[in-house]
Amino acid sequence: MGELTETGVVDAVGKELFIGGKWVPSSTGRTFAVEDPATGQVLCEVADASPEDGRAALDAAVAAQADWAKTPPRERSEILRRAYELLNSRADELALLMTLEMGKPLAEAKGEIVYAAEFFRWFSEEAVRIDGGYQVAPNGAGRFLVTKQPVGPCLLITPWNFPMAMGGRKIGPAIAAGCTMVIKPAEQTPLSMLALAAILTEAGLPAGVLNVVTTSDPGGVMEPMIKDGRARKLSFTGSTAVGRKLLEQCADKVLRTSMELGGNAPFLVFDDADLDAAVEGAMQAKMRNIGEACTAANRFYVQRGVADEFARRLTERMSALPLGRGTEPGVVVGPLIDNDAVAKVTELVTDATQRGAKVLTGGTTVDGPGNFYQATVLTDVPRDARMASEEIFGPVAPISVFDDEDEAVAAANDTEYGLVSYVYTNDLKRALRVSESLEAGMIGLNQGIVSNPAAPFGGVKQSGLGREGGTVGIDEFLETKYVAVSL
Ligand code: NAP
């Protein structure tokens, strides 16, 4: 591609369904619009899959499974490695495409492309390390031979907030394990996934291994595939509400599931913490992705002795953040994904202030076009405010004060979610004690970002089932088989 232009990067992407290695229109001929959340303008139209198209995509994945499972791990590894290199070499154009469809600032979009690429590098390394075992049976006469095999055709569903990384985190290990797949990206951000399909093809992925269906009817298209009986696994990233529904559907054919669901991360600051580091970490944990992240700090609990100073410093940082279209240089606060997201944030802030919270900065929407909400800090947020139990998914930092460790841990754990918790303290014993007591799959200990392709990402309680990334990430796509041998 020559000079990067907005129309250039959008024009370069396939807008049809990707099934069996071919770009095909929807069987109904229908399309749906993809909009720029910063302007409300339509970027392009993409194919709107019907349930029949979903079945065709599953047919293709099922047809490709046996041959794909037999490919040498080294071959799968090298395809993944090439994808990693291609993603990095096209990071600028892919970042612009992502900013246009999702809104996040360009620098963050580029960061996501690099992060997504790392999953392909990590799983290119894991593909050739699938282990097994040989064990003497306790009676001494038999032997156990343990091997791991691909689960089989997988269904993958991803959200709009990380349009490339959430797909990469599933596709990478699925390819490494030898599984074929049908992926359904979010309706609001299908372009990054369509671009990834082209890159994987260029990297040498055989036809039918990855199939992409874009649709405005996610339930209508996915439910028949889930209940078809030929798919062996569903890997979902999205809200807990939709995850629950999908788990019920999976029960029908007892599909294996991986569920990366919602979060409500507490961010604990003890009075022995390095306050500069805590404020820096708070900015990362809150403002990454404009607050639209499952890992976003949703509740700040600060010990009384440092609460006012922490609030003052956080307010100073938040009120200085440039807001605007993500394509503009220096912008940190891009638009939220849609009007509903702005309405939800507005509702939660109004609820908190009606219950006694005070606004230190922000607290309002911004005149259109686009779906903007100001970076906001609230203090004196009562524990019964709705934002203490619901995902804010926007640039709002609610602060509450605590007096002792037990109170902080109890408040942090008082949620149905358990994805990530952040803890700032310089007391080693407290750090370990609190990390062990927090009901979360991940802890950011004196650090505001936990995501890393080499680490196991995932939640407990109603934040999900299973882990993505790390050495366990590939296991989500493998079945263990044991052969009993009699000597
Ligand atoms: P969502 O509404 O649950 O949607 C996620 C995906 O599911 C989208 O592709 C959506 O399609 C699809 N979907 C919706 N209803 C469906 C149905 N009945 N059957 C099959 N698929 C269906 O979530 P979201 O608003 O896109 O994403 C935000 C949520 O994701 C937050 O709760 C966030 O915490 C969570 N999240 C979790 C993680 C994690 O790793 N734990 C990471 C990122 C995000 P449409 O786009 O067409 O609606």
Side-chain angles (χ1 to χ4, degrees), residues 157-162 166 169 184-188 215-216 218-219 222 236-240 242 245-246 249 260-263 293-294 391 393 419 457 463 468:
I157 303 178
T158 52
W160 51 263
N161 63 342
F162 291 97
M166 296 302 95
R169 211 161 73 172
K184 190 210 82 63
E187 182 183 347
Q188 285 160 314
T215 180
S216 65
M222 294 312 296
F236 172 75
T237 298
S239 62
T240 297
V242 172
K245 223 189 279 183
L246 294 174
Q249 293 174 15
E260 294 288 348
L261 308 178
C294 53
E391 276 189 294
F393 245 57
L419 190 61
F457 188 104
S463 284
E468 291 189 328

Side-chain angles (χ1 to χ4, degrees), residues 55-252:
R55 187 203 306 272
L58 182 57
D59 288 346
V62 170
Q65 180 59 59
D67 283 348
W68 179 239
K70 284 188 216 133
T71 50
R74 178 62 71 201
E75 209 172 301
R76 303 200 296 267
S77 167
E78 279 167 3
I79 293 168
L80 289 165
R81 176 75 200 193
R82 281 194 291 276
Y84 156 72
E85 282 160 7
L86 285 167
L87 280 164
N88 274 313
S89 70
R90 310 229 173 113
D92 287 325
E93 66 204 62
L94 293 167
L96 179 56
L97 184 70
M98 187 187 297
T99 293
L100 291 175
E101 66 174 345
M102 188 276 168
K104 72 180 70 180
L106 261 182
E108 282 203 60
K110 190 161 175 187
E112 183 181 336
I113 300 299
V114 172
Y115 172 51
E118 283 300 324
F119 283 102
F120 290 93
R121 175 156 72 165
W122 175 259
F123 285 107
S124 82
E125 292 155 354
E126 291 296 283
V128 289
R129 313 221 188 295
I130 298 170
D131 58 4
Y134 183 80
Q135 187 189 336
V136 179
N139 68 7
R143 298 292 182 270
F144 302 153
L145 202 62
V146 179
T147 63
K148 289 183 184 165
Q149 296 182 324
V151 167
C154 298
L155 304 175
L156 316 177
I157 303 178
T158 52
W160 51 263
N161 63 342
F162 291 97
M164 186 70 90
M166 296 302 95
R169 211 161 73 172
K170 300 181 189 305
I171 295 169
I175 289 177
C179 294
T180 62
M181 67 210 92
V182 179
I183 185 161
K184 190 210 82 63
E187 182 183 347
Q188 285 160 314
T189 59
L191 303 179
S192 296
M193 185 53 58
L194 293 167
L196 180 59
I199 284 177
L200 283 164
T201 304
E202 198 178 329
L205 194 69
V209 175
L210 172 79
N211 304 277
V212 184
V213 289
T214 49
T215 180
S216 65
D217 178 19
V221 171
M222 294 312 296
E223 187 170 354
M225 282 198 260
I226 291 169
K227 294 187 170 172
D228 177 283
R230 290 178 297 162
R232 295 292 160 78
K233 163 151 193 127
L234 172 71
S235 178
F236 172 75
T237 298
S239 62
T240 297
V242 172
R244 278 191 202 105
K245 223 189 279 183
L246 294 174
L247 280 169
E248 276 181 30
Q249 293 174 15
C250 287
D252 207 46

